[in-house]
Amino acid sequence: MRRFRLPLRSAASVFRPHAPRGLRVRLVVAFLLAAAFGALLTAGLTFHRARAAILDRAEETAVADLRTQLDSLAPDLTLPPTAEDLRGLTRQIDQAGGARAWRASASYRGGEPVAAAPGTPPVPDELRRAVQDSGRAVHQRTEHDGRPWLALGMPVAYTDDSGDTGTGTDTGTGADEDTHANTDADAGSLSGLTVYAVFPLDDDRADIDALVTAAEAGAVPALALALVPALFAARSVLRPVRRLRHGAERIAAGELDTRLDASGRDELADLTRSFNTMAETLERDAAELRRLEAGARRFAADVAHELRTPLAAMAAVTEVLDEDAASGVLPADTEDAVRLISEEVRALARTVEDLMEVSRFDAKAAPVHREDVDLRTLVTKTLQLRGWAHDERVRADLPEPAPVRVDPRRIDVVLGNLVANALHHGRPPVTVAVRVRGDRVEVTVTDRGPGIPDEALAYVFDRFYKADAARPRSGGSGLGLAIARENAALNDGSLTAANHPDGGAVFTLTLPSAASSLGTT
């Protein structure tokens, strides 16, 4: 015989949500989970109390009924009783049980219980030990043949000095957590007779199952009713969040004058006000930056424009002085000074021209005149114009036709700046290679120098950037690579910088290939 536990089916299986997506779904699911948890907790506590009340009532009633039967039947029993006397007593108790369907048995002085009805469930050993050890009435819930039963053990005691017997119990403890004690203030001396009664708890179990069924049936309507306030709560939370998202998208699109209506005193209203403050600050800072940038561009363009005329005059004068210096009519010190001035004037003139070109880029006013050409032809002309065609320091690798549609002047500027940069900052030989890659044409300029420092790779195309900050007088303005990248972009191309695995820097100019092939030149 094993101990009986009345089942409690969990209501958690009624609602098993899948992984939610979206803030609205998560809010609704969280609200419903909270409601379900509260309902489950309440139902569990209510079920526990109701179950305990039903079982306690059944136990108390059974103990009282059995005591009543013994009070009327035990005085007629002869002590010490025979087995037939015990069987007759249990038969009378079974007949008096009525609807409770007693299955009684009795024992004398620790003997085996004697039952009148066949098929009476055996008395649990722990219940018998508890009654014998304590001398008090004890009850225990058990299970037999898949049915719940309540087993009672009640010792019979003398109630007076005349020899009459009655039932007497005192506060006692059971053999385990399901065994309970009862009290009787009229307890006397024990007679050695113990009566056991076992009866089914089917009706009580049905009542408990009805409680569980009612709780499960009420869970779905409760969750359905909780869905309505959950949707309203999610809507009230998500409306300002949605407005904030739309506002952030408009600011990201450049509409810095975006403002949101802020009403209320909750956290979302405070967040909306903070958003408006942020947008106002961004708009003010962006306007100030645009003003400063426009002023800087205008200043650079105005300075470059104003310097062109005096620089042209200075260049003409230095050319005359260069001729005198070359003829040897000037003293040696004067000759050195003249050459120095000439170099600086030419460098300043190149810087001014670069600034003028940059100002045209910024103003989106740089003209582009496209032509269908072979990129190999542009590379060859660039090397010839700058005296690098027969220079052993520069090599050309032009294996196949590379048709492009570009502005030849601007591509010449790009190639000239890249080769000059490689000769100045790297080590020869400098290789200019042209390759066709599908619908793109690539020109790579590779040197054998130390390469570009890793920390400088991301900035080599910035204006006025020089990798060696300790040597600002490096012979260039720091605008050559920036102008080269701008010219590449004007021709729908790109310009990138990297380091070769074997050493040296690699600059790659990528241009779209022309639709028609031009053949070999």
PDB file of all heavy atoms in Angstrom, residues 250-267:
ATOM      1  N   ARG A 250      13.219  61.251 -39.018  1.00  0.00           N
ATOM      2  CA  ARG A 250      13.219  62.535 -39.736  1.00  0.00           C
ATOM      3  C   ARG A 250      14.509  63.302 -39.480  1.00  0.00           C
ATOM      4  O   ARG A 250      15.067  63.926 -40.399  1.00  0.00           O
ATOM      5  CB  ARG A 250      12.006  63.360 -39.300  1.00  0.00           C
ATOM      6  CG  ARG A 250      10.676  62.777 -39.745  1.00  0.00           C
ATOM      7  CD  ARG A 250       9.503  63.534 -39.167  1.00  0.00           C
ATOM      8  NE  ARG A 250       9.518  64.942 -39.582  1.00  0.00           N
ATOM      9  CZ  ARG A 250       8.669  65.847 -39.114  1.00  0.00           C
ATOM     10  NH1 ARG A 250       7.776  65.502 -38.200  1.00  0.00           N
ATOM     11  NH2 ARG A 250       8.733  67.092 -39.537  1.00  0.00           N
ATOM     12  N   ILE A 251      15.008  63.256 -38.251  1.00  0.00           N
ATOM     13  CA  ILE A 251      16.284  63.927 -37.968  1.00  0.00           C
ATOM     14  C   ILE A 251      17.419  63.241 -38.716  1.00  0.00           C
ATOM     15  O   ILE A 251      18.311  63.904 -39.263  1.00  0.00           O
ATOM     16  CB  ILE A 251      16.538  63.928 -36.449  1.00  0.00           C
ATOM     17  CG1 ILE A 251      15.611  64.941 -35.775  1.00  0.00           C
ATOM     18  CG2 ILE A 251      17.988  64.267 -36.136  1.00  0.00           C
ATOM     19  CD1 ILE A 251      15.813  65.064 -34.292  1.00  0.00           C
ATOM     20  N   ALA A 252      17.389  61.898 -38.762  1.00  0.00           N
ATOM     21  CA  ALA A 252      18.432  61.182 -39.510  1.00  0.00           C
ATOM     22  C   ALA A 252      18.385  61.534 -40.992  1.00  0.00           C
ATOM     23  O   ALA A 252      19.418  61.495 -41.672  1.00  0.00           O
ATOM     24  CB  ALA A 252      18.260  59.675 -39.319  1.00  0.00           C
ATOM     25  N   ALA A 253      17.186  61.877 -41.499  1.00  0.00           N
ATOM     26  CA  ALA A 253      17.049  62.264 -42.896  1.00  0.00           C
ATOM     27  C   ALA A 253      17.440  63.722 -43.142  1.00  0.00           C
ATOM     28  O   ALA A 253      17.390  64.177 -44.281  1.00  0.00           O
ATOM     29  CB  ALA A 253      15.618  62.027 -43.373  1.00  0.00           C
ATOM     30  N   GLY A 254      17.818  64.433 -42.080  1.00  0.00           N
ATOM     31  CA  GLY A 254      18.263  65.813 -42.247  1.00  0.00           C
ATOM     32  C   GLY A 254      17.259  66.863 -41.831  1.00  0.00           C
ATOM     33  O   GLY A 254      17.558  68.061 -41.898  1.00  0.00           O
ATOM     34  N   GLU A 255      16.068  66.473 -41.391  1.00  0.00           N
ATOM     35  CA  GLU A 255      15.056  67.443 -40.962  1.00  0.00           C
ATOM     36  C   GLU A 255      15.301  67.801 -39.500  1.00  0.00           C
ATOM     37  O   GLU A 255      14.612  67.326 -38.589  1.00  0.00           O
ATOM     38  CB  GLU A 255      13.663  66.862 -41.166  1.00  0.00           C
ATOM     39  CG  GLU A 255      13.353  66.482 -42.608  1.00  0.00           C
ATOM     40  CD  GLU A 255      11.974  65.885 -42.761  1.00  0.00           C
ATOM     41  OE1 GLU A 255      11.105  66.169 -41.902  1.00  0.00           O
ATOM     42  OE2 GLU A 255      11.745  65.137 -43.718  1.00  0.00           O
ATOM     43  N   LEU A 256      16.277  68.652 -39.273  1.00  0.00           N
ATOM     44  CA  LEU A 256      16.666  68.978 -37.894  1.00  0.00           C
ATOM     45  C   LEU A 256      15.674  69.888 -37.194  1.00  0.00           C
ATOM     46  O   LEU A 256      15.803  70.138 -35.985  1.00  0.00           O
ATOM     47  CB  LEU A 256      18.058  69.633 -37.905  1.00  0.00           C
ATOM     48  CG  LEU A 256      19.191  68.767 -38.448  1.00  0.00           C
ATOM     49  CD1 LEU A 256      20.514  69.515 -38.360  1.00  0.00           C
ATOM     50  CD2 LEU A 256      19.274  67.436 -37.718  1.00  0.00           C
ATOM     51  N   ASP A 257      14.685  70.410 -37.909  1.00  0.00           N
ATOM     52  CA  ASP A 257      13.671  71.257 -37.273  1.00  0.00           C
ATOM     53  C   ASP A 257      12.517  70.424 -36.708  1.00  0.00           C
ATOM     54  O   ASP A 257      11.492  70.971 -36.289  1.00  0.00           O
ATOM     55  CB  ASP A 257      13.124  72.268 -38.272  1.00  0.00           C
ATOM     56  CG  ASP A 257      12.522  71.601 -39.505  1.00  0.00           C
ATOM     57  OD1 ASP A 257      12.809  70.412 -39.730  1.00  0.00           O
ATOM     58  OD2 ASP A 257      11.782  72.284 -40.250  1.00  0.00           O
ATOM     59  N   THR A 258      12.661  69.113 -36.665  1.00  0.00           N
ATOM     60  CA  THR A 258      11.612  68.223 -36.157  1.00  0.00           C
ATOM     61  C   THR A 258      11.433  68.416 -34.653  1.00  0.00           C
ATOM     62  O   THR A 258      12.403  68.420 -33.892  1.00  0.00           O
ATOM     63  CB  THR A 258      11.976  66.755 -36.441  1.00  0.00           C
ATOM     64  OG1 THR A 258      12.110  66.574 -37.848  1.00  0.00           O
ATOM     65  CG2 THR A 258      10.902  65.814 -35.910  1.00  0.00           C
ATOM     66  N   ARG A 259      10.186  68.580 -34.230  1.00  0.00           N
ATOM     67  CA  ARG A 259       9.863  68.681 -32.810  1.00  0.00           C
ATOM     68  C   ARG A 259       8.628  67.823 -32.540  1.00  0.00           C
ATOM     69  O   ARG A 259       7.781  67.651 -33.412  1.00  0.00           O
ATOM     70  CB  ARG A 259       9.574  70.138 -32.403  1.00  0.00           C
ATOM     71  CG  ARG A 259      10.732  71.094 -32.627  1.00  0.00           C
ATOM     72  CD  ARG A 259      11.928  70.788 -31.738  1.00  0.00           C
ATOM     73  NE  ARG A 259      12.965  71.789 -31.915  1.00  0.00           N
ATOM     74  CZ  ARG A 259      13.918  71.729 -32.844  1.00  0.00           C
ATOM     75  NH1 ARG A 259      13.968  70.680 -33.669  1.00  0.00           N
ATOM     76  NH2 ARG A 259      14.820  72.681 -32.960  1.00  0.00           N
ATOM     77  N   LEU A 260       8.524  67.310 -31.330  1.00  0.00           N
ATOM     78  CA  LEU A 260       7.411  66.447 -30.944  1.00  0.00           C
ATOM     79  C   LEU A 260       6.603  67.109 -29.836  1.00  0.00           C
ATOM     80  O   LEU A 260       7.155  67.832 -28.996  1.00  0.00           O
ATOM     81  CB  LEU A 260       7.926  65.087 -30.464  1.00  0.00           C
ATOM     82  CG  LEU A 260       8.771  64.290 -31.458  1.00  0.00           C
ATOM     83  CD1 LEU A 260       9.251  62.994 -30.809  1.00  0.00           C
ATOM     84  CD2 LEU A 260       7.997  63.990 -32.723  1.00  0.00           C
ATOM     85  N   ASP A 261       5.294  66.842 -29.828  1.00  0.00           N
ATOM     86  CA  ASP A 261       4.430  67.363 -28.767  1.00  0.00           C
ATOM     87  C   ASP A 261       4.656  66.546 -27.494  1.00  0.00           C
ATOM     88  O   ASP A 261       4.571  65.313 -27.507  1.00  0.00           O
ATOM     89  CB  ASP A 261       2.965  67.272 -29.189  1.00  0.00           C
ATOM     90  CG  ASP A 261       2.648  68.184 -30.371  1.00  0.00           C
ATOM     91  OD1 ASP A 261       3.354  69.201 -30.514  1.00  0.00           O
ATOM     92  OD2 ASP A 261       1.729  67.854 -31.149  1.00  0.00           O
ATOM     93  N   ALA A 262       4.940  67.229 -26.406  1.00  0.00           N
ATOM     94  CA  ALA A 262       5.192  66.572 -25.117  1.00  0.00           C
ATOM     95  C   ALA A 262       4.094  66.978 -24.143  1.00  0.00           C
ATOM     96  O   ALA A 262       3.920  68.159 -23.844  1.00  0.00           O
ATOM     97  CB  ALA A 262       6.560  66.964 -24.572  1.00  0.00           C
ATOM     98  N   SER A 263       3.333  66.005 -23.669  1.00  0.00           N
ATOM     99  CA  SER A 263       2.274  66.262 -22.701  1.00  0.00           C
ATOM    100  C   SER A 263       2.349  65.215 -21.608  1.00  0.00           C
ATOM    101  O   SER A 263       2.685  64.052 -21.859  1.00  0.00           O
ATOM    102  CB  SER A 263       0.894  66.229 -23.378  1.00  0.00           C
ATOM    103  OG  SER A 263       0.669  64.974 -23.981  1.00  0.00           O
ATOM    104  N   GLY A 264       2.006  65.616 -20.406  1.00  0.00           N
ATOM    105  CA  GLY A 264       2.037  64.684 -19.284  1.00  0.00           C
ATOM    106  C   GLY A 264       3.274  64.884 -18.422  1.00  0.00           C
ATOM    107  O   GLY A 264       4.140  65.728 -18.694  1.00  0.00           O
ATOM    108  N   ARG A 265       3.344  64.055 -17.389  1.00  0.00           N
ATOM    109  CA  ARG A 265       4.456  64.162 -16.432  1.00  0.00           C
ATOM    110  C   ARG A 265       5.171  62.825 -16.233  1.00  0.00           C
ATOM    111  O   ARG A 265       5.941  62.690 -15.297  1.00  0.00           O
ATOM    112  CB  ARG A 265       3.932  64.657 -15.073  1.00  0.00           C
ATOM    113  CG  ARG A 265       3.309  66.048 -15.129  1.00  0.00           C
ATOM    114  CD  ARG A 265       2.761  66.444 -13.762  1.00  0.00           C
ATOM    115  NE  ARG A 265       2.206  67.791 -13.769  1.00  0.00           N
ATOM    116  CZ  ARG A 265       2.909  68.889 -13.550  1.00  0.00           C
ATOM    117  NH1 ARG A 265       4.194  68.789 -13.284  1.00  0.00           N
ATOM    118  NH2 ARG A 265       2.344  70.081 -13.572  1.00  0.00           N
ATOM    119  N   ASP A 266       4.899  61.861 -17.104  1.00  0.00           N
ATOM    120  CA  ASP A 266       5.536  60.564 -16.920  1.00  0.00           C
ATOM    121  C   ASP A 266       6.907  60.528 -17.590  1.00  0.00           C
ATOM    122  O   ASP A 266       7.373  61.528 -18.160  1.00  0.00           O
ATOM    123  CB  ASP A 266       4.643  59.447 -17.473  1.00  0.00           C
ATOM    124  CG  ASP A 266       4.295  59.677 -18.940  1.00  0.00           C
ATOM    125  OD1 ASP A 266       4.840  60.610 -19.546  1.00  0.00           O
ATOM    126  OD2 ASP A 266       3.467  58.922 -19.474  1.00  0.00           O
ATOM    127  N   GLU A 267       7.561  59.357 -17.520  1.00  0.00           N
ATOM    128  CA  GLU A 267       8.914  59.219 -18.062  1.00  0.00           C
ATOM    129  C   GLU A 267       8.947  59.403 -19.574  1.00  0.00           C
ATOM    130  O   GLU A 267       9.909  59.951 -20.116  1.00  0.00           O
ATOM    131  CB  GLU A 267       9.484  57.837 -17.696  1.00  0.00           C
ATOM    132  CG  GLU A 267       9.811  57.651 -16.230  1.00  0.00           C
ATOM    133  CD  GLU A 267       8.591  57.338 -15.389  1.00  0.00           C
ATOM    134  OE1 GLU A 267       7.476  57.291 -15.970  1.00  0.00           O
ATOM    135  OE2 GLU A 267       8.735  57.149 -14.167  1.00  0.00           O
TER     136      GLU A 267
END
